[in-house]
């Protein structure tokens, strides 16, 4: 496995965004990964909007590569978009795709830390926390994301926690906040299940201001985000060797 870690490039693949802060965050995560694993060949690629594109990066890899998605949800981009781009390059035989970051406990701890940065105590029983994610047309992906909120609340005395999706109509943000307040929350904190700043997080932030709610920062380029990326890479590398 050690040889695979040193030789096989980790192609950190983000969705991409018209907002430059998103691409900057992907590069910052890549820098963190490289610091955690000196000698590892870490390359950044984007599915759309930003350069370099995934196809260009894969074509620059002389041999095998492991595409490691910088994605939280196992939804369209992980299941369809990235595999299709790999296939279109004609490099499927030498490229393995790692799993998404998912609802990893390390990321949940980062989200809890982001809430704490707002001076919100775990022991404050007047607080209600709304975990807001982008959302997917895949109900199974949304169901997995909904597991984050109760995990965040473990070890706290918060009044209530809930989940809402910024791009899905099932539970609008205002209704989710109202529900938390009906459950007894005097203060509402929005915990964004986003990796980076961007247009959708900005829209959620505007909503938070209008709703008199606090909003934490996205997960960002935290060391534990990079550690989770490395874990997904290592799993895929081990599977490649075992195959």
């Amino acid at each position: 496995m050690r040889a695979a870690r040193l030789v096989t490039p980790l192609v950190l693949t983000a969705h991409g965004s018209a907002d430059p802060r998103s691409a900057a965050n992907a590069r910052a995560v890549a820098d963190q990964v490289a610091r955690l694993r000196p000698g590892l060949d870490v390359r950044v690629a984007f599915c759309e909007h930003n350069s370099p594109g995934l196809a260009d990066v894969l074509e620059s890899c002389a041999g095998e590569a492991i595409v490691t998605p910088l994605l939280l949800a196992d939804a369209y981009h992980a299941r369809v978009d990235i595999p299709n781009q790999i296939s279109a390059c004609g490099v499927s035989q030498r490229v393995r795709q790692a799993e998404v970051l998912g609802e990893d406990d390390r990321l949940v701890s980062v989200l809890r830390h982001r809430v704490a940065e707002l001076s919100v105590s775990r022991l404050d029983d007047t607080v209600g926390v709304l975990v807001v994610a982008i959302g997917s047309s895949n109900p199974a992906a949304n169901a997995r994301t909904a597991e984050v909120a109760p995990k965040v609340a473990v070890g706290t005395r918060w009044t209530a926690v809930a989940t809402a999706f910024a791009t899905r109509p099932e539970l609008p943000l205002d209704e989710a906040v109202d529900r938390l307040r009906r459950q007894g929350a005097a203060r509402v904190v929005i915990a964004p299940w986003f990796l980076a700043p961007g247009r959708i997080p900005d829209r959620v932030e505007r909503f938070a201001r209008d709703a008199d709610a606090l909003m934490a920062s996205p997960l960002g380029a935290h060391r534990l985000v990079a550690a989770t990326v490395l874990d997904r890479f290592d799993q895929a590398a081990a599977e490649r060797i075992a195959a």
Side-chain angles (χ1 to χ4, degrees):
M1 183 182 300
R2 181 170 300 173
R5 288 177 180 174
L6 291 172
V7 176
T8 304
L10 185 161
V11 181
L12 185 68
T13 305
H15 173 269
S17 170
D19 190 314
R21 294 172 296 172
S22 178
N25 184 76
R27 294 188 174 95
V29 172
D31 290 343
Q32 282 276 31
V33 170
R35 282 194 288 271
L36 289 176
R37 186 72 58 78
L40 178 63
D41 183 1
V42 182
R43 310 186 189 192
V44 177
F46 300 93
C47 292
E48 56 186 359
H49 296 297
N50 304 110
S51 297
L54 178 56
D56 293 333
V57 174
L58 291 178
E59 289 170 1
S60 73
C61 296
E64 297 176 340
I66 294 178
V67 172
T68 308
L70 187 61
L71 300 170
L72 292 172
D74 187 21
Y76 172 81
H77 292 291
R79 290 179 173 268
V80 178
D81 192 12
I82 291 176
N84 283 351
Q85 292 196 34
I86 293 173
S87 178
C89 293
V91 296
S92 299
Q93 292 183 342
R94 60 179 177 85
V95 172
R96 181 175 291 270
Q97 180 177 335
E99 298 293 327
V100 297
L101 304 184
E103 302 74 42
D104 193 281
D105 288 344
R106 288 165 291 196
L107 303 185
V108 173
S109 71
V110 174
L111 188 60
R112 194 182 296 116
H113 174 70
R114 296 302 186 214
V115 172
E117 289 177 335
L118 298 173
S119 299
V120 174
S121 170
R122 296 185 184 189
L123 304 181
D124 190 343
D125 61 4
T126 70
V127 168
V129 172
L130 179 64
V131 174
V132 178
I134 291 177
S136 169
S137 59
N138 184 337
N142 290 339
R144 289 189 294 272
T145 300
E147 297 171 3
V148 171
K151 286 184 177 182
V152 169
V154 170
T156 76
R157 294 183 183 175
W158 296 334
T159 298
V161 294
T163 304
F165 298 99
T167 62
R168 304 300 302 165
E170 290 85 356
L171 180 59
L173 299 185
D174 55 350
E175 291 184 17
V177 168
D178 289 344
R179 180 180 299 179
L180 287 174
R181 287 177 170 149
R182 288 196 302 270
Q183 291 175 309
R187 303 169 64 202
V188 173
V189 177
I190 293 178
W193 189 241
F194 302 135
L195 284 164
R199 294 183 175 183
I200 294 177
D202 283 352
R203 177 156 55 84
V204 176
E205 186 173 13
R206 290 193 294 270
F207 164 80
R209 288 197 299 268
D210 293 341
D212 195 24
L214 297 173
M215 180 164 165
S217 299
L219 302 180
H222 194 282
R223 180 182 60 83
L224 291 179
V225 174
T228 307
V229 168
L230 274 173
D231 183 68
R232 300 297 181 266
F233 170 79
D234 288 342
Q235 289 174 357
E239 291 168 359
R240 180 186 62 79
I241 292 171

